[in-house]
Each structure stands twice: as structure tokens, then as C-alpha cells.
Amino acid sequence: MPNTATRLRSVEDYRATVAALVGELPSRQVPVAECLGLVLTDDVTAPVSLPPFDNSAMDGYAVRSVDVVGASEDTPVDLPVPEDIPAGRQDVVPLLPGTAHRIMTGAPLPPGADSVVQVELTDSGVQQVRVFAPVGVGTHIRRTGEDVGEGATVLAKGTVLGPQQLTLAAALGITTLPVRPRPRVLILSTGSELVAAGEPLAPGQIYESNSTYIAAAVQEIGGIAHALRFVPDDVDALHAALAPHVGDHDLLITSGGVSAGAYEVVKDALRGEGVEFVRVAVQPGGPQGYGRYRGIPVLTLPGNPVSAALSFEIFVRPALLAALGHPQADRKRLRAQVAGAMKSPAGRRQYRRGYYDEGSVQAVPVGGAGSHLLAAFAQSNCLIEIPEDVTEVAEGDEVELVMLTA
């Protein structure tokens, strides 16, 4: 591929490039228990009615309403109780005139009954019951199809599946749902200077954190993350680390090794494998890369921790949500006054860390613009977006916020 790194790509252009590369995941039938947070690709219709049969809404007695029409505290009606109907009973005996069947909540209504007297309006008799109040036709009866009729559309295409939708599917006896499956994302952090948390730091070493952020961010939106850590700055080692895994994943994300230095291992390893390296008019996170490596889509992010995190937020997160079929792939945006002055380089869209205070309706800048300032990022609940044509923001100016929280 030609090297276009000297031309700055706009944020919108590169977002579109990433979205097209990731694409939509093909629809699959996935077990209901595994569908939380996934998006339906087709309408779902009810295979049965809900309830599937007339049943009691109360613990009490199934009766014919005409048999208790005159019941009161002073003149109770006594009825024999020849049958008990617990929930789940299948051989339900028809109700004869002048009798009552003791019935539990959810149990099938016996043929001949047209109402249920709740147990609190009786003496709770077992072989004979005394009824102290009349009931009208249909009292405390859940009718077949009262909630859902067989064949009705119960869940629409594009629905994001939460606990309530999955409960409905289970209640209808549905075992699988048509959804876009969770993307399987392989995450590779490179750098001979990286060590695992808990290990002692030698001179020149730092703890690896980029894969932690990317994996957590992937999982937060419903993806499956597999992190490969501590791959040294060696082309052969990088290929060897990737070889066993690329065929089992939908996307490869790397961090580090994409700048203009002398030891940019990701660039050296992937440039001839179908990956193009570019610069985007954004700060932080200018060096980026995209393409395919042995058939799998690849996105290469810069190595500084905040650069990698913001690159995921701006470019990767919306592409993955779109791949999942989410109707809203972008973060919520607000406009607010900023409680501090800021400078931004000309021709770059800058994202500064910030904290949006709902009480004062202001955005407070947190930390500086440096791509290494993780503590400031951890204290932020928004990104302050400064357009490419703005180099100075004065305190009190209105700015656009990209919210990092729901």
C-alpha cells in the first residue's frame, strides 16, 4: 500500500475508514442466556400465547359466579371442594355446578369455572369452603393470550436485549435469538519496556496498562477480549505471537510501535502485510494504522496510554457498536461552559480530559494535554472537544463535551 502518512486524515474521514473496515458482524442464532446487551437482527414472533391457558391469578377457589352471588359475611355460601388444583396439574377435572375447586396461583382454570374467589374471602376450607363475598364473571382469571397472542411480534428488529426482553423470550419458550454476536477482539501490546503489574521495575521499564483499558472497553460494550501482553520489539516475535490467534478473532487491535521512531515494531511487521499507517488530525492519538493482517481487520493505536484510550473512544468504540448493530453508536454529547482556559494546536482536533459538574453545568478541565496523564483521565467523566480551527478557549466559552459515562 502507498504510504500516506504525510497527509493528515480528518477525524470524520478516519472514523468512516475504521467503521468500513470493521463492518457489520453476520447475524447468528445465539442462546437466549448469552444475548444480554446484543441487538436483534430480525423481528421475533410469539410461538405460543402468553398465558398459554386460562389460569388463576390468586390462591383461592375456582367457582361458578352464580353459585356465590348472594354470599356475604352474614349469609355465607357453603360449597363442597372435591378437587385441589396446584400449579402444573394437567388432569384438571371439570367443575360441577354447586361445587368449588381449591386452586393455586398459576394453576389451570377447570372447565365450567368462570371466576376465582380469593382465599381471603373464605374460611380456607379443604373439603368444604365457606364463601363470604360474591365474585363477578372473570374475577382473578388470567385469560389465554391476555399478554401475548400466538404469532404476534413481541420483539422488534434493532432491539437492544436487556433482562426484561430476555425474560419475555424465555417465557415464550424461545431458546435462541437472531443477533449479531459479540466481536472477538485480539489485543496486542508491544514494547520491550513493558512488564506485568506486581513485577519489580528495572531501569527503563514501565507497567503495561494499554491492554487493560482496551480489554475493559471492549467488554463494556459487549465484546470478548483476548489480550496478548509483553511482546518484545521484535518483528519475528510479533508474528509468532499472533500466528495461533488471528483465525479465531474478528478484529486485531495493537498499541504502540506506530510512530516515526527507529524501533516501531508494529509498523515494521505489518506494513508489508496489508496495513496502512496514517496520521490523523487529532491530539492526542495522531499516528494510526488500519488494514488486514492475514484476513483479520487490524487497527493499530499509538502506545502512550491516553493516546491509546482516546483512539479507542473516538475511532474503535463506535465502529464496534455499529458492528453489533446498536442504533446509537456514539457517546452522548452536551454543550457547556468551560471553567478554565485552554490552548490547542492549529489544524488538530484536540480532546482534553474534563469533569462535567451537573450542579454548575460547567466542564472543568482535568490535567493538561499530555498523552501520558492517566490520573487526569481516571478523574474525568467527559472529553472536551476543541475543533481544528480553534487554538484558544477562554474561561466561560461554550464547548462540546463527549460524555464518558452513561
Side-chain angles (χ1 to χ4, degrees), residues 21-401:
L21 174 70
V22 175
E24 280 191 334
L25 294 167
S27 178
R28 280 176 41 199
Q29 289 287 335
V30 172
V32 168
E34 300 172 16
C35 285
L36 181 65
L38 299 182
V39 181
L40 282 177
T41 56
D42 293 292
D43 291 346
V44 175
T45 58
V48 297
S49 294
L50 194 64
F53 52 86
D54 290 355
N55 67 87
S56 177
M58 289 280 182
D59 291 337
Y61 297 83
V63 299
R64 295 171 184 262
S65 57
V66 295
D67 289 339
V68 294
V69 68
S72 70
E73 291 281 348
D74 296 328
T75 57
V77 172
D78 292 329
L79 298 173
V81 181
E83 296 287 340
D84 266 357
I85 311 176
R89 180 170 174 178
Q90 298 177 13
D91 59 334
V92 177
V93 177
L95 179 74
L96 298 178
T99 68
H101 288 179
R102 192 167 67 155
I103 193 168
M104 304 303 138
T105 302
L109 191 72
D114 64 12
S115 57
V116 172
V117 180
Q118 68 191 76
V119 69
E120 290 85 355
L121 299 180
T122 73
D123 67 351
S124 304
V126 175
Q127 295 183 331
Q128 182 164 303
V129 65
R130 177 161 289 186
V131 180
F132 298 107
V135 288
V137 173
T139 299
H140 302 316
I141 294 175
R142 301 165 177 161
R143 294 297 184 186
T144 303
E146 180 181 313
D147 190 6
V148 173
E150 182 179 349
T153 297
V154 290
L155 296 171
K157 175 182 178 180
T159 298
V160 181
L161 295 167
Q164 61 270 47
Q165 289 82 27
L166 299 183
T167 297
L168 175 58
L172 289 166
I174 295 170
T175 58
T176 64
L177 291 168
V179 295
R180 301 200 189 283
R182 302 184 190 282
R184 301 162 300 170
V185 181
L186 182 63
I187 302 161
L188 175 69
S189 290
T190 63
S192 297
E193 76 280 13
L194 302 176
V195 296
E199 297 293 325
L201 288 178
Q205 292 184 327
I206 60 173
Y207 291 121
E208 195 279 324
S209 62
N210 287 358
S211 65
T212 298
Y213 180 89
I214 297 169
V218 166
Q219 292 166 347
E220 182 184 43
I221 63 172
I224 300 169
H226 177 199
L228 294 176
R229 297 180 173 91
F230 318 120
V231 177
D233 289 332
D234 179 85
V235 169
D236 291 337
L238 187 146
H239 287 303
L242 292 177
H245 305 289
V246 290
D248 300 326
H249 292 81
D250 303 301
L251 176 66
L252 166 62
I253 301 175
T254 71
S255 66
V258 297
S259 295
Y263 299 98
E264 304 299 341
V265 66
V266 172
K267 256 187 179 179
D268 295 341
L270 303 186
R271 192 192 298 277
E273 297 275 354
V275 177
E276 183 174 354
F277 294 90
V278 299
R279 294 193 68 83
V280 181
V282 65
Q283 187 191 56
Q288 301 285 335
Y290 69 97
R292 288 185 177 271
Y293 175 77
R294 302 180 184 180
I296 182 175
V298 179
L299 295 171
T300 69
L301 311 183
N304 279 325
V306 176
S307 294
L310 295 194
S311 295
F312 185 94
E313 282 293 329
I314 298 163
F315 303 118
V316 187
R317 185 179 189 273
L320 283 175
L321 285 171
L324 279 163
H326 276 266
Q328 179 55 50
D330 290 323
R331 291 280 197 184
K332 179 182 177 181
R333 286 177 171 260
L334 297 176
R335 292 194 67 81
Q337 287 186 332
V338 66
M342 295 175 292
K343 293 184 181 296
S344 183
R348 303 285 198 280
R349 184 178 303 181
Q350 189 180 70
Y351 289 90
R352 295 285 292 269
R353 279 69 77 199
Y355 185 84
Y356 175 66
D357 185 344
E358 293 185 1
S360 64
V361 199
Q362 284 189 319
V364 181
V366 180
S371 59
H372 62 294
L373 301 176
L374 270 178
F377 187 46
Q379 297 163 14
S380 301
N381 65 2
C382 68
L383 301 176
I384 302 170
E385 185 179 75
I386 304 176
E388 293 85 340
D389 59 351
V390 175
T391 58
E392 293 190 23
V393 176
E395 183 171 355
D397 283 354
E398 191 173 69
V399 293
E400 184 98 353
L401 306 181

